[in-house]
Amino acid sequence: MAYDYQTIEAKWQKRWAEDHTFEVEEDPTRPKFYNVCMYPYPSGDIHMGHVRNYTYGDLLTRYKTMRGFNVLSPMGWDSFGLPAENAAIKTGVHPRIFTENQISRMRDQIKRLGAVYDWRREVAVHRPDYYRWNQWLFLELYDRGLAYKKNAPVNWCPKDQTVLANEQVVDGLCERCDTPVIKRDLDQWFFKITDYAQQLLDDLDGLEWPERVVTMQRNWIGRSEGCQFTMQVADTEFSFEVYTTRPDTAFGMTFAVLAPEHPLVEQLIAGGEVESEARAYIERARNASEIERLADGDKTGVFTGFEAINPVNGRRVPIYIADYVLMGYGTGAIMAVPGQDQRDWDFARKYGIDIIRTVQPPDGWEGDAYTGDGPAINSEFLDGLEMVEAKARIIEWFEERGIGKGTVNFRLRDWLISRQRYWGTPIPMVTCSDCGLVPVPREELPVIHPDVEDYAPEGRSPLAGVDEFVNVDCPKCGGPAQRETDTMDTFVDSSWYFLRYADASNETEAFDPDKARYWMPLDQYIGGIEHAVLHLLYARFITKFLHDMDMVDVVEPFAKLFTQGMIVLAGGKMSKSKGNVVAPDEFFESHGADALRLYHLFIGPPTDGAVWNDNGVDGTFRFLDRVWRMATGEFAETTERDETGADREVLADAHRTLQKVTSDIERFTFNTAVAALMEYSNALSAYLREGGRTETLRECVRLILLMLSPMAPHLAHELWERGGYDGMLAEQAWPDWDPDLVRRDSVTMVVQVNGKVRDRVGVSADISEAEAEALARSLEKVRPWLEGVTVRKVIAR
RNA sequence: GCCGGAGUGGCGGAAUUGGCAGACGCGAUGGACUCAAAAUCCAUUGUCCUUUGGGCGUGCGGGUUCGAGUCCCGCCUCCGGCACCA
């Protein structure tokens, strides 16, 4: 009987579903294992990135189950977002219909991969029973001052007439039409993630995460220690605060800079000589795209006509307006020290401003600004001090006089969650002319999207065009009020979905705290590296918030993170627009899901990216077919030959393979686990070629099937059943290897002279060192190399 | 510019603690089977030489060591992330 993967795969997928094999309940008597693959956007078709992701996740679900864990592996849909809305703009089909359709197609494909989930817990964030809890979460944050509205510059595409999320701006261009993106000021909702900046930084230390993801988050949070101090504007009553990480260089300040958006700017220029020039500059800075502003790094600015007084030495320095200073970081104003900062150097050079070095550069220094360490110079009481001491000394000096203090700054900004979009969670707020911002009462949730005629955004959410949605009675005073028409960033949805899995049909709470307590944290989270900062940071923030609300025990949601590399096709990352997508469906037909899964495991280290190669699936298919033929007796006739040596050896090899596969799965090197199984199948087929014993073959096959069960589950289950082994394979325990069998009686001793291999000889494993040395010295191939004195060690492996 | 990662056959990759470099697979070549093909099976497959053996070989240049793909110093190249963050 040939290996009929199509029939077998359909049969077992049905069986696992009907038997509820992978549905689990909370069970305090067993160790739990909460295993989650990042939920996908329902694009309609799974691609090779999904296949890789779910193959790893499914392997773990099945393996950990065999190891006796109570394994929860759920699946859901990140089903709000742009593609459905774009499709609606194009075709007029409601995003909900489009999305549900995509979900059911994609769910079918995931099932055809043989990946098993507890589907009772499925979540889809676009459904009101899910997103009402986004609205609840928003209100909880609002009540605690962690959700607030303010006017802020946002990314704006002048061609599409729409706001873009940061992640939709690629190298300063609109992702959809490649138009340079500019900033526009709009009233926006923010979540105050910056309140948690220090905790988000500190708690990274306890996570079993890839180092590079931790590093990226650390950089993103961007803690810096410095000093904030006040500067007087000469001959006025105005003053402003500056922030610097190099207060030790304050004696080198030769000018000061205000960001164009700095509130003091208006007061300084109003009615002055430079007013028109300054206004023109500010206007240009506001409208310029990121690309224009950074064009060839050229620094531009306008002199305000005012001077500031450097508090450390009383020197008067000119105040400029320049767009290389950002309003969003620090105080939006800087002391400029060209001797120690390259940007200040460039600006000073261009505008003919003095440069004073306050740190002695090393001998032979020919560069511009010197930003390194060295003794302070030209700095009065700091002279001779190294950077660290000089910093401490000057901060002390500022603090003694009450004009400055040591401070900490973060690069992390508050999370802008407003989107002028239809297909997202409506923000549950209304604005009343009398009461101002008023939350929608919780009992009125969910605020549901009304249907609209036109989904095209025109600088405001399509919801703003639906009068009966917008105009409501104020929940507080009953007077006329308007609903918020923006929707939430879809990253809000994904920042807590893993809690909803604990009880996805809960109608009274976002999630059941007791069930969540049992399952949290995730023991394994698997996904793409592209989420290293956004999703993985937001989810940490929301978890910490829920912890502070006493709804969650843990402070970190994802104990262990695995980020898989990206699958590429020769010629770059797979994407529909490039037309280089390899569809998994074709392989379900041509090679079967098991061969496809196995190739994904085999293609290379899971952390690395990989280049897709169709022929690779031929290889894993051939391997599975060979296993099939050996297990079904089609490969070779077995005899009752009882040759103890060969029998014991092939069995011992099976146990050694088991040892290797087990440790490879534990350390996430699935490629070598598959290689070990292939190597073993070669050894077994060599054994069978000579005519092996039936019982030996049967035991070897039993072990192979147990090992293959998490990797190629359909084939393994079918052969298990046909072989008449007990029960369903998925419910068997992962086997233990026999230490006696694994131990080798004889080993190959490699003899090296001066690090070069000169001979190999088979010896007994318990050979003494002296014997080994004597033997090695006596070897014909070794003797000629031993002319002089030798220092040597015996290695026996 | 800063941070992180990686360079090994024709290709994907292996070598887990400094100890047989190239496991396993793909591709290729030759053979068996076949009227033929496919499938399958067997063999070979880093490179060079004076081939029962030996030299060279893990991006480049040094170093440590009996011994280095692995450790140290200095470079080069590629990939990813952040980027006028004071």
Side-chain angles (χ1 to χ4, degrees), chain A residues 86-149:
Chain A
N86 288 340
I89 293 168
K90 219 186 253 176
T91 65
V93 175
H94 195 288
R96 182 172 50 246
I97 295 167
F98 178 84
T99 300
E100 288 291 352
N101 199 11
Q102 303 279 79
I103 288 175
S104 70
R105 282 176 50 198
M106 207 157 160
R107 195 194 295 113
D108 286 349
Q109 290 176 33
I110 290 176
K111 287 181 176 174
R112 282 193 75 184
L113 183 63
V116 286
Y117 302 96
D118 187 342
W119 286 104
R120 299 170 306 162
R121 299 166 184 265
E122 181 184 43
V123 302
V125 303
H126 75 284
R127 297 180 191 150
D129 66 357
Y130 185 89
Y131 72 68
R132 69 176 294 182
W133 301 111
N134 279 341
Q135 294 171 341
W136 165 85
L137 178 66
F138 179 98
L139 296 177
E140 294 295 322
L141 286 158
Y142 180 78
D143 286 351
R144 288 164 182 75
L146 293 170
Y148 65 93
K149 194 174 195 180

Side-chain angles (χ1 to χ4, degrees), chain A residues 509-534:
Chain A
E509 290 166 299
F511 56 91
D512 181 323
D514 289 330
K515 290 182 177 176
R517 201 163 286 129
Y518 175 81
W519 291 113
M520 291 296 285
L522 275 66
D523 297 280
Q524 184 68 62
Y525 198 28
I526 307 177
I529 186 74
E530 64 272 19
H531 296 293
V533 277
L534 298 169

Side-chain angles (χ1 to χ4, degrees), chain A residues 20 349 391 423-424 626:
Chain A
H20 312 285
R349 270 301 165 90
K391 268 190 190 175
W423 199 230
R626 199 153 55 236

Side-chain angles (χ1 to χ4, degrees), chain A residues 59 62-68 657-666 673 677 702-711 729-737:
Chain A
L59 180 148
R62 293 169 179 275
Y63 172 74
K64 290 287 180 182
T65 300
M66 292 175 82
R67 295 236 82 151
T657 304
L658 173 60
Q659 189 180 25
K660 165 99 179 129
V661 167
T662 306
S663 86
D664 281 350
I665 290 176
E666 294 286 350
L677 278 166
R702 189 182 75 88
L703 289 169
I704 290 175
L705 297 181
L706 286 162
M707 287 186 268
L708 271 180
S709 176
M711 303 181 190
L729 177 55
E731 286 160 355
Q732 304 306 305
W734 188 258
D736 295 318
W737 59 86

Side-chain angles (χ1 to χ4, degrees), chain A residues 618-690:
Chain A
D618 293 338
T620 52
F621 179 84
R622 275 198 277 270
F623 161 68
L624 290 177
D625 187 48
R626 199 153 55 236
V627 171
W628 178 271
R629 282 179 289 130
M630 284 193 286
T632 53
E634 288 172 35
F635 187 83
E637 289 294 316
T638 51
T639 65
E640 293 313 304
R641 179 180 72 138
D642 186 0
E643 196 185 299
T644 316
D647 251 23
R648 186 186 161 84
E649 203 39 47
V650 77
L651 210 59
D653 264 350
H655 282 254
R656 290 183 194 118
T657 304
L658 173 60
Q659 189 180 25
K660 165 99 179 129
V661 167
T662 306
S663 86
D664 281 350
I665 290 176
E666 294 286 350
R667 70 182 179 120
F668 267 67
T669 54
F670 309 132
N671 53 327
T672 50
V674 176
L677 278 166
M678 288 174 164
E679 203 172 351
Y680 182 64
S681 95
N682 291 340
L684 183 59
S685 69
Y687 164 81
L688 291 176
R689 210 177 303 139
E690 307 296 318

